[in-house]
Structures are given as C-alpha cells and as structure tokens.
Amino acid sequence: MALKEVVVPGVRDVRASLDEPEDGSETIVIACPPHPQFNGNRNDNRLVALSDYLGERGAACLRFDYGDWDEGYGEREDARNALRWARERYDSVGIFGFSFGGAIATLAGVDEDAAAIALLAPASRLAEDLDAVAALDEVDVPLKVLYGTRDDVAEWKPLVERARELGFETEEFSADHFFVGQEQKVAGRLGEFLVESL
C-alpha cells in the first residue's frame, strides 16, 4: 500500500490520507470520521481497519479530516468535495462513515451519487435539515448499516429502522458504540459489502 497526503479541493482546509494499492486501483471509498469535536479524525481505528481491508483487496481509500467545525454543514461539504475529487480519478466511488460520519456519508453520498454507502453506528440526524433518515428515501444504490446493540452514544435506531423499511441491508453486533476489539471484524463485514458493491 502506498500512502499519499492529499489536500481536498474546496474553500475549507481539508487534509486527507490516500491509501492506495501499489498497482493502483479503479475503485475508492471515501471514509468519513466521527465527530471532530470529540477527537474524530482520519486516524480513527475503524477507518484505518476498513482502509487496510480494502487495500488488501485492490481498492483505494481516502480518509480525511474535516475542516473547522461548522455544525455539520461544512463537514457535509468536505465529504462532497472528497467525493468530487475521487470521481475525477476513479471509475467507482463509494462512501463510508462512522457515528457522526455515518450521517455525513449518507447526506453526501446522496448529493454526489456515491456508488455504494456503508454506515457504522450512524447518527440519524445532525440538524433539522441534516436528516440522514430522510435522505435514505433518496438512496438508489447498495447501502448497508452495521450497528452495536449496546450503543448508547449515537441515535442510530431511527436510521436503522428506516433502512430496514426500505429494504437495505442491516447487521447488528453485540457491541457498544466503539466496537472495541472488533474493529477488524467490523471492517471485514463492511469492506466485503463495499468491494462487492463497487
């Protein structure tokens, strides 16, 4: 795997790490970190584990840090810009998000026509007009949600329930919000979904 530093084009200062197989790749997944005000960043264990899984199977991954805190609005734009950057360089672009990043991935994935969406313990809503549950109605690509049954951090239930109603794939783990010790297993389940879907 080759690691490159990337500045995502846009008004905001968004830095990213591009993990790419040595031979290159035609597919990429944009990885959205958890809440930046709670130390969410591109080096989150769950994002790194997913990136490693994808790289071993020939897919690239762009893990990015959000720009300055902007109540979810600027963060959504950061993810949109990352998707636009990736679409110019890769044939197939998916998106993944954990926690706060799950809501961001859903909203940006719909706006920018991601080819697949994978969510881990996603937040359902960031603001009245940043509603990931409502955005699910606009998703027409493969989507999978993985959540922990003991998660009392993210408000994941409304999104999971709506995803089920719409026929999207959901999977539960006996885990809390952080999936401590299960990062590799979780990465495998969502990574497999993304590789097959892209």
Side-chain angles (χ1 to χ4, degrees):
M1 286 268 281
L3 173 64
K4 298 177 189 170
E5 293 299 307
V6 172
V7 176
V8 177
V11 174
R12 291 160 53 84
D13 183 16
V14 177
R15 307 297 170 114
S17 296
L18 174 63
D19 302 316
E20 192 167 41
E22 297 290 348
D23 298 336
S25 179
E26 296 178 356
T27 61
I28 189 171
V29 173
I30 304 303
C32 303
H35 205 300
Q37 290 191 311
F38 298 98
N39 298 316
N41 62 65
R42 61 180 142 164
N43 296 316
D44 180 89
N45 290 345
R46 289 142 291 257
L47 273 64
V48 172
L50 178 71
S51 183
D52 289 345
Y53 180 95
L54 294 169
E56 290 167 4
R57 285 149 187 85
C61 184
L62 185 78
R63 300 175 284 114
F64 70 93
D65 289 331
Y66 303 112
D68 291 339
W69 173 242
D70 189 32
E71 307 289 336
Y73 298 95
E75 292 75 16
R76 176 183 57 180
E77 190 59 23
D78 297 342
R80 287 173 173 166
N81 285 335
L83 284 164
R84 293 176 190 127
W85 176 91
R87 261 208 323 272
E88 292 175 1
R89 294 161 176 81
Y90 297 85
D91 294 339
S92 187
V93 182
I95 193 165
F96 160 80
F98 166 52
S99 191
F100 171 91
I104 294 293
T106 305
L107 295 162
V110 166
D111 291 345
E112 292 298 326
D113 300 319
I117 301 172
L119 310 174
L120 178 62
S124 293
R125 191 173 290 107
L126 304 179
E128 190 172 333
D129 56 344
L130 291 175
D131 188 340
V133 179
L136 288 178
D137 290 342
E138 300 176 49
V139 174
D140 60 359
V141 298
L143 179 141
K144 179 171 180 170
V145 186
L146 196 155
Y147 61 95
T149 54
R150 300 191 311 274
D151 185 351
D152 59 1
V153 175
E155 186 196 355
W156 53 268
K157 288 182 181 176
L159 191 145
V160 168
E161 288 168 3
R162 186 62 182 146
R164 281 195 188 122
E165 289 170 5
L166 292 169
F168 293 119
E169 188 177 346
T170 64
E171 183 175 356
E172 67 177 39
F173 267 47
S174 177
D176 65 10
H177 184 66
F178 300 100
F179 301 88
V180 175
Q182 299 189 71
E183 295 93 345
Q184 303 303 322
K185 190 173 180 184
V186 165
R189 302 309 278 266
L190 291 173
E192 180 182 24
F193 163 79
L194 286 163
V195 168
E196 290 176 355
S197 300
L198 295 172

